Amino acid sequence: MRNYKISIISIVLLLLCKSVVASVSFNLELVSKVEGLTEYNSSSNFGVSDVWGYTDETGIEYAIVGYRNGTHIYDVSSIPDNPLLIADIAGPSNGDYYFHRDYKTYDDHLYIVNEMTGMDAGMQVIDLSPLPASVPIKRNTYTGVTQSHNLWIDNDSGYGFIEKNYPENVHIVDLTNPGAPVHSASLSYWDAENCHDIYTVNNRAYISEGWSNQFGIYDISDILYPIQLATIPAFGYAHNAWLNEAGTHLITGEETVGMTVKIWDIQDLDNINLVGEYLGENSLAHNVHVKGDFVYISHYTTGLKILDIYDPSDPIEVAAYDTYPDDDNDGFYGCWGAYPFTANNYVYASDMQYGLFVFSFDDVEAGWVYGTITDGGQSVAGVEIKSLLNGKIFTSNLNGEYEFGFPEGDHEFEFWDNGIYIETQTITIYPHQTTGHNIIFGGELVGDVNNDGVLNILDIIALVNLILNDQYDWIGDINSDEILNILDIIAMINIILDN
């Protein structure tokens, strides 16, 4: 058994007292919304469940989403603002308050598991290969497992991993013939005990082990004899985990109020470290999925969240859409699932009360900015920097310094000091770069060529460089003759000596 170590997450402090604000929507374009799914909801207004996707051989994209009585498949490409229902697959629908269904696709087949009882219980198998010319074909339902909460398929090995109950915690099927799964192995007893979710890649399984309060990492190169390599603690319910594409960090979720989405450095399984954390406004995240440097989180009542984890120690929220406008409370309502693995930058989100959402996301990346806030040459502590994009607030420290990550682009920020509005300024954030940006209140200081709020020898050097490169900046034009030359250098020296 290998050990883990939790490091101190000092990077969080760089946000300098960031405050909590209401959930807002930004950097996600709503392409379409399918509300008809919720017409079938129960009297408690549940029915819509998870969402997945599929791309046919012609490039048409499909959204696959659960509803109370089964599964709907929508063509979201032909008429993007009005998805076309092309299949309605009935399934079990009794005995589950939330109507859990889960989906994965493999080799032009769709696999459906659910927790309900009733008609056609088991893992439903749907042949999608007739699309788009004809409708999907339902194959025989696999009954080796009749009820399951979650399903995973390893596209490289062709194995399907079906969550089950102790002592057979994970039921593994061979999909060599994708239309007729065959039971081939199991994870049983103490391996993956209390399994809730499975993710596999490169002959390793990352299993979220529920109330065992841990995420287990297993070597499954021999599917008949899995070996546990390491465990990672869950401080709530070990709910869901996904590896970043580099294979260096595991992102975990605990579906427990107050428990963060965590980023673990797993490059050395003898020395696993917690390096980054995130939690939205409602303090309750559901599932995480990773594509590129982006983590897509179905975040219940705050909707869909997208993080940039280019720097795993400092995950930055770069896009969001509040699919559940009722509130941002910490209940099990709102956004259930998210699917980002499309070929056209579409992202699907399922909301239990509001249906299916189709978004366009332009891969907006994060950048970082730092600087000092001064007024009359003196640093100013406790200044609140409020974004007009998403309402987030950052605060300067005792030395007047600030530092934060934010989506790329030119953004306006309001500056407040002790509750008094000072001014609004634009700060430019560059993708995956860290840049300096000092803030000067009361107008810019003439001669402060390097924009650090004070006049000194560094400004003389900067002014000389402007002159040598035949560049003009009015802030260095001390004598206001619209020319930068030796006279401005002399004037600046006199100002510095007088002060």
Side-chain angles (χ1 to χ4, degrees):
M1 181 66 61
R2 299 193 174 186
N3 298 321
Y4 63 87
K5 181 175 71 177
I6 303 175
S7 61
I8 298 173
I9 312 301
S10 59
I11 195 70
V12 175
L13 299 179
L14 292 177
L15 298 183
L16 299 174
C17 306
K18 182 171 65 175
S19 65
V20 176
V21 296
S23 177
V24 296
S25 302
F26 62 98
N27 287 341
L28 277 167
E29 178 186 351
L30 179 63
V31 177
S32 58
K33 180 180 177 183
V34 180
E35 298 180 85
L37 288 164
T38 62
E39 295 176 4
Y40 306 95
N41 273 11
S42 67
S43 59
S44 300
N45 202 18
F46 290 100
V48 177
S49 57
D50 210 354
V51 64
W52 200 248
Y54 172 73
T55 306
D56 72 25
E57 61 183 11
T58 70
I60 294 176
E61 303 273 3
Y62 300 87
I64 301 161
V65 62
Y67 78 108
R68 182 181 180 181
N69 299 325
T71 301
H72 277 178
I73 302 178
Y74 292 92
D75 172 353
V76 298
S77 293
S78 298
I79 308 176
D81 61 356
N82 186 26
L84 304 173
L85 178 63
I86 57 98
D88 183 354
I89 303 161
S93 57
N94 300 322
D96 180 2
Y97 185 81
Y98 291 101
F99 301 92
H100 289 84
R101 300 185 199 277
D102 197 45
Y103 304 95
K104 296 296 182 292
T105 53
Y106 174 73
D107 194 21
D108 293 326
H109 283 70
L110 167 65
Y111 301 88
I112 307 169
V113 297
N114 61 83
E115 289 196 356
M116 283 74 79
T117 60
M119 177 192 70
D120 206 22
M123 182 173 71
Q124 295 177 302
V125 182
I126 313 299
D127 185 349
L128 302 174
S129 63
L131 294 170
S134 185
V135 297
I137 301 171
K138 187 180 181 305
R139 302 301 184 187
N140 291 332
T141 294
Y142 176 78
T143 56
V145 175
T146 55
Q147 293 172 282
S148 176
H149 185 81
N150 270 312
L151 164 72
W152 173 259
I153 295 177
D154 190 311
N155 284 297
D156 293 326
S157 69
Y159 285 116
F161 298 78
I162 308 170
E163 177 269 346
K164 203 179 175 186
N165 297 315
Y166 183 90
E168 188 187 18
N169 304 310
V170 180
H171 184 90
I172 303 172
V173 294
D174 185 338
L175 300 176
T176 300
N177 180 353
V182 176
H183 181 218
S184 60
S186 303
L187 274 74
S188 300
Y189 297 101
W190 295 278
D191 286 336
E193 187 177 6
N194 292 312
C195 171
H196 178 271
D197 203 6
I198 310 104
Y199 174 89
T200 68
V201 66
N202 296 331
N203 290 320
R204 283 190 179 176
Y206 303 84
I207 299 181
S208 305
E209 300 182 10
W211 289 123
S212 293
N213 304 112
Q214 67 180 26
F215 300 90
I217 303 177
Y218 296 82
D219 180 344
I220 55 170
S221 53
D222 186 339
I223 200 68
L224 295 175
Y225 300 101
I227 301 171
Q228 187 180 85
L229 302 175
T231 61
I232 296 173
F235 305 101
Y237 181 81
H239 184 265
N240 162 248
W242 206 282
L243 201 64
N244 72 333
E245 292 193 357
T248 57
H249 292 78
L250 187 71
I251 297 87
T252 62
E254 300 173 37
E255 199 192 27
T256 304
V257 175
M259 293 296 105
T260 56
V261 170
K262 296 177 175 64
I263 303 175
W264 302 86
D265 183 339
I266 62 167
Q267 296 178 80
D268 179 357
L269 293 183
D270 286 323
N271 186 29
I272 296 174
N273 289 286
L274 175 63
V275 297
E277 297 182 86
Y278 168 86
L279 194 61
E281 297 84 355
N282 66 339
S283 299
L284 181 61
H286 191 206
N287 286 322
V288 300
H289 298 83
V290 181
K291 180 183 179 184
D293 284 326
F294 298 106
V295 178
Y296 298 76
I297 308 174
S298 46
H299 216 295
Y300 281 123
T301 58
T302 54
L304 173 63
K305 301 288 192 178
I306 302 179
L307 311 181
D308 186 342
I309 58 167
Y310 173 79
D311 178 355
S313 68
D314 192 11
I316 302 300
E317 183 181 311
V318 293
Y321 194 96
D322 189 359
T323 62
Y324 184 81
D326 299 37
D327 58 56
D328 290 330
N329 296 337
D330 57 13
F332 298 100
Y333 299 88
C335 189
W336 177 310
Y339 179 84
F341 307 107
T342 63
N344 59 359
N345 284 342
Y346 278 5
V347 181
Y348 313 144
S350 58
D351 186 286
M352 291 179 277
Q353 284 70 47
Y354 286 93
L356 170 67
F357 292 75
V358 179
F359 300 106
S360 177
F361 175 57
D362 290 332
D363 289 353
V364 177
E365 296 177 339
W368 291 264
V369 64
Y370 68 94
T372 302
I373 300 176
T374 58
D375 188 354
Q378 301 297 314
S379 61
V380 185
V383 174
E384 291 187 342
I385 308 169
K386 181 178 180 180
S387 162
L388 297 185
L389 174 69
N390 57 18
K392 293 188 183 297
I393 295 175
F394 311 91
T395 306
S396 63
N397 65 15
L398 293 175
N399 296 318
E401 300 165 340
Y402 73 91
E403 183 173 359
F404 60 85
F406 208 71
E408 64 178 284
D410 297 327
H411 299 291
E412 289 189 325
F413 293 85
E414 291 181 346
F415 291 82
W416 296 76
D417 187 11
N418 293 317
I420 300 174
Y421 169 75
I422 305 300
E423 62 188 46
T424 299
Q425 290 196 20
T426 298
I427 298 178
T428 300
I429 309 293
Y430 297 96
H432 292 172
Q433 296 182 40
T434 300
T435 55
H437 185 99
N438 292 322
I439 306 296
I440 301 173
F441 291 153
E444 296 190 80
L445 184 62
V446 175
D448 185 17
V449 183
N450 67 354
N451 194 34
D452 64 355
V454 294
L455 294 184
N456 54 31
I457 187 63
L458 297 178
D459 295 294
I460 295 175
I461 295 171
L463 179 55
V464 169
N465 285 329
L466 287 175
I467 295 171
L468 291 176
N469 290 294
D470 196 25
Q471 295 176 329
Y472 178 82
D473 187 336
W474 70 268
I475 205 165
D477 187 11
I478 310 298
N479 61 4
S480 301
D481 63 357
E482 299 185 358
I483 301 173
L484 296 185
N485 53 30
I486 188 64
L487 298 179
D488 296 295
I489 296 174
I490 295 171
M492 183 181 292
I493 292 173
N494 288 330
I495 293 174
I496 292 172
L497 292 176
D498 288 341
N499 290 331

